[in-house]
Amino acid sequence: MPWDARDTMSLRTEFVLFASQDEANIRSLCRHYGISPATGYKWLRRWAEDGAAGLQDRPRTPHHSPNRSPDGITDLLRMAHARHERWGARKIKRWLEDRGHPMPAFSTVHSLMARHGLLPGMPPGIPATGRFEHSAPNRLWQMDFKGHFPFGGGRCHPLTLLDDHSRFSLCLAHCGDERRETVQRQLVRVFEHYGLPDRMTMDNGAPWGDTTGSWTGPELWLMRLGIRVGHSRPYHPQTQGKLERFHRSLKAELLQGRWFADSSGLQRAFDQWRAVYNLERPHEALDMAVPASRYQPSARQYSATVMPPEYDEGVMVRKVDISGKLSIKGISLNAGKAFRGERVG
């Protein structure tokens, strides 16, 4: 996957965060990102020496200033707030520290931000209780459409995909509709970049809903790729609570009060915010680490060629007709329209 100049910094940061984790296979990651091991180790060395600044193509002014004055700290807080105006003191403090700026205690940072009107002006969220997460990346991905909204080119239906373990955003895509073909096209891009998960969960709405009790087209496609599919309970959005929380942050930090003239500008804004969310934004549920520091691409690679199902000897195999039904010994059974034209056992 050659690096695209449009998002080179995001890809470099993503690479070094993945490669810096314990037991990471650096050479495998180099192959995944289409770079040589020498290049990969170069970026790792610069990351270790200079942090985010070391990933720039041009030299940057050193960030370290141990004897920075209180006015200097306030200037840093103003700069950080201008970039992330919806972040509170805890995230701002960690974000600046990750970039090499020594910061005072959280209470001091909070006081300075309050004194200078830099807090987001909203009460802190209620801490989650009984939080559950899967033990490793790619065990479960959560998928949904965020509520659609108007823009200059019509309506946007944002497709979102989140890794349960790391909170890493795998997809934030502008879609003009919520049809199966649209979703499948976006998922292929994700699978090609990050590999395949063990399981995916989604709600019961179109195009992946299971309210009829039979398989849908998207479910059949995922099943053929070896991905197990689950659904949240109807009217229980907390089943996908991490993704719901992601949607709240997306609305507050990017969408609220903004107008987008066209689809290309909208997708650029999505890509930039997703990069910040994955690579820069400290996450309280991760002990203020960034999601990319806990994510690794899946070892299960995507292939566009899907082998037809094989059945054991003695299994009756029937072809599903155009109405989604098959007949066994004169008895008509409903397999679902997703299986039209397929041979099933």
Side-chain angles (χ1 to χ4, degrees), residues 62-69 72-73 76 99-103:
H63 289 305
H64 255 302
S65 183
N67 299 318
R68 186 176 299 277
S69 67
I73 292 175
L76 282 173
R99 277 144 192 79
H101 301 289
M103 299 299 292

Side-chain angles (χ1 to χ4, degrees), residues 4-234:
D4 191 322
R6 291 173 300 176
D7 58 359
T8 298
M9 276 298 296
S10 296
L11 288 170
R12 286 176 184 169
T13 308
E14 190 176 280
F15 168 79
V16 296
L17 285 170
F18 292 170
S20 298
Q21 297 176 42
D22 293 340
E23 301 181 1
N25 188 326
I26 296 176
R27 288 183 176 269
S28 175
L29 285 169
C30 288
R31 289 194 298 272
H32 181 82
Y33 281 88
I35 58 175
S36 68
T39 300
Y41 282 107
K42 176 185 72 173
W43 293 124
L44 279 171
R45 184 181 67 255
R46 292 188 182 183
W47 172 263
E49 293 173 352
D50 300 318
L55 302 182
Q56 296 282 355
D57 286 325
R58 294 179 295 178
R60 297 290 297 271
T61 303
H63 289 305
H64 255 302
S65 183
N67 299 318
R68 186 176 299 277
S69 67
D71 288 342
I73 292 175
T74 302
D75 291 341
L76 282 173
L77 295 177
R78 290 185 188 281
M79 177 273 292
H81 175 74
R83 286 198 58 178
H84 307 294
E85 62 181 17
R86 304 298 298 181
W87 289 9
R90 197 178 304 278
K91 282 185 172 61
I92 291 291
K93 177 181 185 298
R94 179 58 179 263
W95 186 82
L96 288 169
E97 288 173 341
D98 286 345
R99 277 144 192 79
H101 301 289
M103 299 299 292
F106 162 74
S107 57
T108 303
V109 172
H110 187 276
S111 297
L112 286 171
M113 291 183 68
R115 183 185 310 162
H116 295 281
L118 303 179
L119 292 176
M122 59 197 313
I126 300 173
T129 57
R131 181 184 290 118
F132 172 80
E133 67 181 31
H134 281 69
S135 58
N138 307 309
R139 295 283 176 84
L140 174 69
W141 290 1
Q142 298 183 11
M143 179 169 62
D144 199 3
F145 278 104
K146 188 192 178 307
H148 54 84
F149 60 88
F151 73 106
R155 297 198 73 82
C156 172
H157 302 255
L159 179 66
T160 61
L161 191 60
L162 201 71
D163 175 63
D164 183 89
H165 171 76
S166 63
R167 277 74 164 178
F168 186 83
S169 170
L170 299 139
C171 176
L172 175 54
H174 157 60
C175 298
D177 55 58
E178 300 183 5
R179 300 178 60 184
R180 169 191 173 178
E181 296 79 8
T182 303
V183 173
Q184 193 163 321
R185 185 167 56 249
Q186 294 293 342
L187 286 179
V188 166
R189 295 178 61 186
V190 175
F191 294 158
E192 289 176 340
H193 189 86
Y194 294 112
L196 301 176
D198 295 339
R199 180 180 162 220
M200 292 179 64
T201 184
M202 53 216 75
D203 65 17
N204 298 279
W208 43 66
D210 70 342
T211 53
T212 62
S214 60
W215 290 93
T216 64
E219 290 174 314
L220 176 59
W221 177 64
L222 293 172
M223 180 174 66
R224 283 177 160 169
L225 293 174
I227 301 171
R228 290 179 292 138
V229 178
H231 293 273
S232 59
R233 293 170 58 195

